[in-house]
Amino acid sequence: MKNKNLFLLLLLIFFTLVSCSGDDGGNTPDPGPGEGPVDPPPAAAQPLDLASYSNGSGVMMQAFYWDVEPRHGWWDLLSEKVDDWADAGIDRIWLPPASKGQSGGYSMGYDVADYFDLGDYFNHQTTETRFGSRAELDNLIETANANGIEVIADIVLNHNSGGGLEWNPYREKETWTLFDEEHGNASGKFNRNYENFYPNSTSPYDPGSLFYEETNLDHNQQYVQDWLWEKDYSVAEFYKNEVGFDGWRFDYVLGFEPWVVKEWLDAVGGFSVAELWDGNPDVLEAYIEATGAGVFDFATFYKLEEAFDRFDDLTYLTRHMVWQNYPDKAVTFTANHDTEKDSHEDNKIAPENKLKAYAFILTHPGYPTVFYLDYENENFQAKLDQLILIHNTIATGETEVLYVDDDEYVMKRNGTSSNPGMILYINTSGNVKARANIQTNWNATPVMDYSNSIDFQTSTGSDGKVTLRAPANGYAIYSIME
């Protein structure tokens, strides 16, 4: 009998330990009220008014996708949205390349022909760009700025397209390198010919380009530098001082040397982010150091894809990412116009994992970007609005990972003396998870989930420890109640 009682006692202790940890490889049933040291909050406890907090942060909206519709009406459509975006906490919008491209009214702007034609000239079979007229662009920028939103220009600095044919002695054939008023450059500003592209008399080599190789601009030439950023008539000065752009997204910076971006920023300043498509954080950090520009944090993007999709292992979320060392220069994202059209599954995050990925970037350091099509998804928008609110208010202070395994990730932002901070709990298992003994900064304090993902409130102990829950295949974000 004594041996039987001892066996039952040991069995009871075993199941108690399992229920408190909630970590059983994803097979934990929905925790009941008695599982773990869960203390209900006082009846009088109320949610914080998050709108009364501000940590000085904002979020950028990528305000386009490939082949946007309606053609010629995009600037007007965005003008109708910026007021709501500002209310949601968006402080910058990134626009597609605004200048006329070879594809005319069908161009997404990356086949740039005339840097100074923003819908002003009849050029490439159209006056308006795919996105609209110059007047409509001006109205969009004015409307955005009136709502406290900066407007970021997408700048294509290396490859050109849409010029006229001319004999090119350096390639010993005809090339489409003649850009003037009659050949694709209706503004007559920054006219170009074969001498301005690799190879030429001053640069007798061809560094190569993934795009329009024969019209890869030679930035070593003073003429090209003058027209792009150095002189008061340059593209940079035109976009900043006449059009009113507030900053720059540099397209395909692998196509030219880092000093080009540095000199551009030295000349005109402004917010900046470079598209250096490389998942190696060391490469991205070296670019930050060489240019002073921000970068899209592809290291984080690929760690999110690996954690949620490719390997289904949340420990990848603790590996090296740019925001860890350069939080002010890392522009984090979960999707963009290129990743969403890429057919390779490792270059995109699956739709069913998008919100968990957004929960990560909108609670961690770095400057997050929301992709237009994700925000317009009716199943995402309210949840993204809440995540943006959390990002701009209580997602502040030092970052500390409290627990991680293959299907659970618990992270704390320590807040400040006047801001409580928050705790993110991601769960990729098929069941509700509970994790006990999470160490908070809140002693004997009621807490709740502010992401509206799980209906759960509790209180921390006098030592600040608490048991928290996360919904199946989802996330919760906890902070104090009043």
Side-chain angles (χ1 to χ4, degrees):
M1 181 64 71
K2 289 182 179 179
N3 289 337
K4 181 177 181 181
N5 289 339
L6 178 60
F7 172 78
L8 291 174
L9 178 61
L10 291 173
L11 191 63
L12 177 61
I13 291 171
F14 171 79
F15 280 111
T16 300
L17 290 172
V18 170
S19 67
C20 287
S21 72
D23 184 15
D24 64 353
N27 295 317
T28 307
D30 189 349
E35 293 187 301
V38 176
D39 296 316
Q46 296 296 318
L48 294 175
D49 177 11
L50 294 186
S52 66
Y53 290 86
S54 175
N55 56 28
S57 299
V59 174
M60 182 161 68
M61 175 74 73
Q62 179 179 355
F64 66 99
Y65 56 93
W66 271 110
D67 299 332
V68 296
E69 296 289 348
R71 286 194 308 114
H72 309 306
W74 193 247
W75 298 148
D76 282 344
L77 184 149
L78 296 185
S79 295
E80 297 172 359
K81 291 181 178 291
V82 292
D83 183 57
D84 289 339
W85 289 351
D87 289 343
I90 301 298
D91 68 342
R92 289 189 179 97
I93 56 173
W94 157 27
L95 300 186
S99 57
K100 191 70 62 65
Q102 179 182 9
S103 303
Y106 293 90
S107 172
M108 285 298 297
Y110 292 100
D111 54 345
V112 59
D114 188 339
Y115 286 97
F116 291 88
D117 180 1
L118 307 184
D120 309 86
Y121 304 90
F122 186 78
N123 191 7
H124 296 285
Q125 306 304 309
T126 182
T127 298
E128 293 189 346
T129 66
R130 182 184 191 108
F131 315 111
S133 68
R134 168 67 187 279
E136 291 163 351
L137 173 61
D138 290 343
N139 177 65
L140 169 59
I141 294 174
E142 181 180 350
T143 303
N145 290 166
N147 280 277
I149 294 177
E150 291 189 350
V151 182
I152 308 307
D154 201 322
I155 301 296
V156 182
L157 288 180
N158 71 312
H159 49 278
N160 291 176
S161 184
L165 269 176
E166 62 179 348
W167 176 255
N168 186 333
Y170 303 104
R171 292 187 179 270
E172 296 185 343
K173 64 176 182 178
E174 287 190 321
T175 54
W176 301 92
T177 46
L178 179 60
F179 291 81
D180 58 24
E181 292 90 332
E182 286 75 41
H183 301 92
N185 197 53
S187 69
K189 300 176 182 179
F190 191 21
N191 285 334
R192 288 144 279 164
N193 61 36
Y194 60 79
E195 276 288 356
N196 307 124
F197 302 99
Y198 292 111
N200 54 57
S201 60
T202 56
S203 299
Y205 60 93
D206 180 6
S209 173
L210 289 178
F211 309 99
Y212 313 110
E213 181 177 4
E214 293 176 351
T215 49
N216 185 15
L217 279 169
D218 181 2
H219 300 92
N220 297 291
Q221 291 187 350
Q222 190 62 50
Y223 177 80
V224 173
Q225 294 175 22
D226 287 348
W227 271 106
L228 285 180
W229 69 82
E230 284 207 351
K231 298 298 185 181
D232 57 6
Y233 53 72
S234 69
V235 174
E237 293 287 350
F238 172 66
Y239 275 54
K240 178 184 178 183
N241 296 324
E242 185 172 332
V243 184
F245 282 107
D246 301 292
W248 324 100
R249 181 264 186 184
F250 295 105
D251 179 64
Y252 183 57
V253 297
L254 287 171
F256 48 91
E257 298 88 345
W259 63 263
V260 173
V261 167
K262 185 179 187 305
E263 290 202 7
W264 178 292
L265 294 177
D266 287 345
V268 295
F271 170 86
S272 63
V273 57
E275 183 210 22
L276 176 55
W277 196 316
D278 196 309
N280 185 336
D282 294 329
V283 171
L284 296 167
E285 291 176 2
Y287 194 86
I288 292 172
E289 294 162 1
T291 63
V295 298
F296 283 112
D297 192 349
F298 278 92
T300 294
F301 171 77
Y302 282 112
K303 289 298 169 284
L304 292 168
E305 190 278 328
E306 290 167 349
F308 294 127
D309 290 350
R310 197 181 322 179
F311 303 123
D312 193 21
D313 181 356
L314 297 187
T315 63
Y316 280 83
L317 298 179
T318 63
R319 301 194 180 188
H320 185 188
M321 299 176 240
V322 178
W323 61 262
Q324 295 163 342
N325 293 326
Y326 291 92
D328 296 332
K329 296 293 187 179
V331 179
T332 52
F333 67 101
T334 68
N336 64 34
H337 59 298
D338 285 318
T339 65
E340 290 300 287
K341 72 169 183 150
D342 196 306
S343 60
H344 197 292
E345 63 181 11
D346 290 346
N347 282 337
K348 64 177 64 177
I349 295 172
E352 61 269 23
N353 291 321
K354 280 278 188 73
L355 286 173
K356 294 191 291 291
Y358 275 114
F360 185 93
I361 69 170
L362 286 161
T363 54
H364 286 68
Y367 181 50
T369 303
V370 173
F371 181 51
Y372 179 89
L373 288 181
D374 288 341
Y375 191 79
E376 291 297 309
N377 184 331
E378 63 181 12
N379 295 318
F380 287 2
Q381 188 169 117
K383 296 174 183 178
L384 286 173
D385 280 341
Q386 190 65 16
L387 287 171
I388 294 169
L389 176 63
I390 289 169
H391 172 268
N392 292 353
T393 57
I394 56 174
T396 193
E398 292 298 315
T399 305
E400 181 181 353
V401 177
L402 302 178
Y403 181 83
V404 64
D405 63 17
D406 60 339
D407 63 4
E408 287 181 88
Y409 176 87
V410 185
M411 180 277 294
K412 176 172 65 175
R413 297 296 297 273
N414 283 316
T416 66
S417 60
S418 58
N419 192 309
M422 38 102 347
I423 291 176
L424 168 69
Y425 187 173
I426 299 176
N427 166 26
T428 57
S429 79
N431 303 289
V432 173
K433 286 271 192 175
R435 180 142 300 276
N437 296 317
I438 293 175
Q439 183 63 62
T440 77
N441 298 337
W442 316 310
N443 296 338
T445 304
V447 298
M448 64 170 283
D449 166 44
Y450 281 87
S451 70
N452 302 324
S453 300
I454 189 169
D455 184 12
F456 178 62
Q457 300 175 2
T458 187
S459 291
T460 64
S462 59
D463 58 358
K465 291 184 178 179
V466 67
T467 294
L468 298 179
R469 298 178 183 175
N473 196 28
Y475 59 88
I477 301 171
Y478 289 92
S479 192
I480 65 172
M481 301 173 70
E482 294 179 308

